[in-house]
Amino acid sequence: MRVTKLTIAALAVVAGLSLTACQNEDVAAGPEPAASAPTANGDDTEQGKDQKQDQEGTSAGTDSNEDGKAADCRTDELEVTASDVTIEGDTVGTVAVEFANGGGRDCTLTGYAGVDLKTNAGPLSAERTGEEAPSVVLKDGKSVWFAVTYPVNDSGGSGVRVTGLVVTPPNETKPVTLDWPGGSSLPVTDGSGTPVKVGPIGSAGQGD
């Protein structure tokens, strides 16, 4: 009986050691990582559609600003000309400058153009009249005008000789140089005389 009891006890110890070893192996191995979810073909398709729409939206927006209105007119899209429209007997001369849209799209002109006269005494910048400066949508193939006014030289002297007209469309940096169609000279003043002035877009009448 003593031999039988010892044998049973030995078997119990061996079984306990085996169970402990199995438990330790499970703890060391740790939990299996969760399987990553497969990417659905539908998600890839939707992402591709979104990217394509973004690209199309960027391309379509090149002719309009953030408000959906026609984008600003660029200098290269405009044919710029000037003509003298002074009425005989006026003490102030007037030159009408025309912007003709030949860019193949509608575009917007807002405010005042930059105007400088080239003279034998150096460049002379026109002052703004201060009139309200509306935003004008210039349709393709149409024109709009603005006025440049200047003092007529009736002093009898040679005055300041005008040699050219430099016009820069609103919100642009590229100018256009034209022949000056107005009086050949301006009176020499001490600064108290009538200055050269430029009116807003549309101040000299607007085409259809």
Side-chain angles (χ1 to χ4, degrees):
M1 292 296 292
R2 181 178 179 83
V3 173
T4 302
K5 289 181 180 180
L6 289 174
T7 302
I8 293 173
L11 290 174
V13 171
V14 171
L17 291 174
S18 298
L19 179 61
T20 303
C22 290
Q23 290 175 343
N24 289 338
E25 288 177 359
D26 291 341
V27 172
E32 293 183 2
S36 58
T39 302
N41 291 335
D43 292 342
D44 292 341
T45 302
E46 290 299 323
Q47 291 177 358
K49 288 181 179 178
D50 291 342
Q51 292 175 353
K52 183 177 181 182
Q53 289 174 351
D54 290 342
Q55 292 172 351
E56 290 176 349
T58 301
S59 176
T62 55
D63 287 343
S64 61
N65 57 26
E66 294 179 355
D67 298 327
K69 297 179 181 179
D72 291 339
C73 298
R74 313 319 313 179
T75 300
D76 292 338
E77 297 176 315
L78 300 171
E79 181 181 352
V80 187
T81 56
S83 57
D84 187 10
V85 293
T86 303
I87 298 175
E88 187 176 355
D90 282 355
T91 57
V92 176
T94 304
V95 166
V97 178
E98 177 184 3
F99 285 146
N101 183 3
R105 67 177 180 93
D106 297 350
C107 60
T108 302
L109 291 167
T110 304
Y112 290 79
V115 172
D116 295 279
L117 301 188
K118 297 172 68 176
T119 78
N120 63 338
L124 175 63
S125 296
E127 299 178 8
R128 295 181 176 183
T129 60
E131 299 172 71
E132 183 180 356
S135 180
V136 176
V137 176
L138 186 59
K139 294 186 176 298
D140 182 38
K142 300 300 181 179
S143 296
V144 67
W145 293 261
F146 66 91
V148 178
T149 57
Y150 61 95
V152 174
N153 182 17
D154 56 6
S155 65
S158 59
V160 177
R161 185 165 53 88
V162 183
T163 60
L165 173 65
V166 182
V167 177
T168 306
N171 300 316
E172 261 285 40
T173 57
K174 183 178 180 180
V176 175
T177 301
L178 307 170
D179 291 334
W180 171 248
S184 60
S185 65
L186 304 176
V188 177
T189 69
D190 57 2
S192 60
T194 302
V196 177
K197 291 190 174 184
V198 55
I201 300 298
S203 61
Q206 181 176 346
D208 296 329

